[in-house]
Amino acid sequence: MATVKPIIIAIDGFSGCGKSTLAKALAASLNYRHIDTGAMYRAVTLYFLENGVDIENPSDIEEALKNINIGFKFNPATNQTDTYLNGDDREIAIRTLQVANFVSPVSTISAVRSFLVKQQQKMNEHRALVMDGRDIGTVVFPDAELKIFMVANDDIRVQRRLDEMQLKGQLGNFDDVAANLRNRDLIDSTRSDSPLKKADDAIEIDNSHLTRDEQFNLVYNLAMEKIDQGDEFTAPV
Ligand code: DC
């Protein structure tokens, strides 16, 4: 049956810009798969913390990566996709401030990045994918049909992160969360391997003063334009 060719949508940007919220809503309305790659870096970080992996020791890291298996599964109770580490649902544990404080240094490690990038690139069998992170439009899928680069005002990002933590039953303090975001922005955008940067062909959206619906409509319309430009194709059976 001929159908419209599915596309890849890459959403990159700074911490706390609402990338995952947008990506999730977009994927649901297009019937695409959504992958939150930040959750994958967080899962590796959690494993390193729980197993005392020395991040200064490359052989320790290589050994640890061999034992890490990350998956995603829909949780009907929360209507969210949960992140699994070695078979266990660790969605709550990967969102703590302890993990947030350690995840940026872990994500500067090239062995960690290539381990995760390889897995992310394999999630693209049928395109029809919305992936959010820091390097999706630049490194993981440089050929993505639509690339969005999200930015937002600092205080607004902190408040959003606090709201998200509160929803998950975690207490956060404004100054601690602000310091964490500032520090992560700095590490994420200055690391030597795949730093966070806007792809040349990405569309920048400042969502500081956009409602979720306004932002969604903006990006949904951009996605539909790209999908409409695509060729018809016959899905492989
Ligand atoms: O999106 P997030 O805040 O959950 O991401 C957590 C960290 O993971 C972020 O500070 C940097 C890292 N990360 C990355 O380096 N590359 C990605 N594609 C996604 C996240």
Side-chain angles (χ1 to χ4, degrees):
M1 189 180 65
T3 178
V4 176
K5 192 174 175 185
I7 64 170
I8 293 182
I9 303 173
I11 302 184
D12 290 304
F14 291 94
S15 302
C17 281
K19 299 182 296 291
S20 292
T21 309
L22 169 67
K24 191 180 148 198
L26 213 51
S29 67
L30 295 169
N31 206 12
Y32 278 19
R33 184 174 187 198
H34 166 225
I35 299 292
D36 166 6
T37 60
M40 300 173 80
Y41 286 89
R42 286 169 180 268
V44 168
T45 303
L46 181 66
Y47 183 93
F48 283 11
L49 282 168
E50 290 185 338
N51 293 278
V53 175
D54 175 4
I55 65 166
E56 304 296 331
N57 182 336
S59 60
D60 232 31
I61 293 169
E62 282 302 331
E63 224 20 67
L65 292 176
K66 284 185 201 149
N67 297 318
I68 296 181
N69 190 352
I70 300 170
F72 295 103
K73 208 152 113 190
F74 183 70
N75 179 346
T78 56
N79 206 21
Q80 306 266 8
T81 298
D82 288 352
T83 308
Y84 280 67
L85 173 61
N86 293 337
D88 296 324
D89 186 336
R90 306 305 306 276
E91 184 58 32
I92 305 272
I94 64 165
R95 305 287 167 192
T96 61
L97 203 52
Q98 189 200 15
V99 170
N101 280 329
F102 198 47
V103 65
S104 280
V106 168
S107 56
T108 63
I109 302 168
S110 290
V112 170
R113 301 205 69 81
S114 62
F115 171 76
L116 292 178
V117 168
K118 265 188 220 127
Q119 295 179 29
Q120 291 153 9
Q121 288 173 332
K122 282 194 197 134
M123 293 168 172
N124 149 45
E125 309 96 331
H126 308 298
R127 296 187 93 77
L129 179 68
V130 187
M131 191 174 268
D132 71 88
R134 305 290 187 291
D135 58 346
I136 312 306
T138 51
V139 174
V140 182
F141 293 120
D143 64 339
E145 285 85 352
L146 177 62
K147 299 181 187 176
I148 303 291
F149 191 80
M150 286 171 61
V151 296
N153 164 290
D154 287 0
D155 285 355
I156 290 175
R157 292 194 291 139
V158 176
Q159 194 53 53
R160 285 183 186 152
R161 202 48 118 187
L162 284 169
D163 294 346
E164 190 183 286
M165 289 171 77
Q166 199 183 12
L167 272 181
K168 296 199 163 151
Q170 294 167 0
L171 278 184
N173 157 297
F174 192 94
D175 292 341
D176 291 348
V177 172
N180 172 262
L181 287 190
R182 259 197 314 275
N183 194 33
R184 284 205 285 146
D185 287 352
L186 181 71
I187 301 178
D188 293 349
S189 52
T190 55
R191 66 180 175 227
S192 58
D193 188 341
S194 347
L196 166 65
K197 66 169 198 261
K198 178 173 171 269
D200 294 339
D201 51 350
I203 299 169
E204 182 168 318
I205 295 180
D206 181 341
N207 67 12
S208 305
H209 303 291
L210 295 179
T211 64
R212 273 190 191 180
D213 283 353
E214 286 167 342
Q215 165 178 267
F216 172 82
N217 289 334
L218 186 68
V219 181
Y220 180 80
N221 289 335
L222 290 169
M224 291 314 289
E225 271 171 36
K226 291 287 179 189
I227 291 169
D228 288 344
Q229 283 163 15
D231 304 327
E232 284 209 336
F233 89 131
T234 303
V237 274

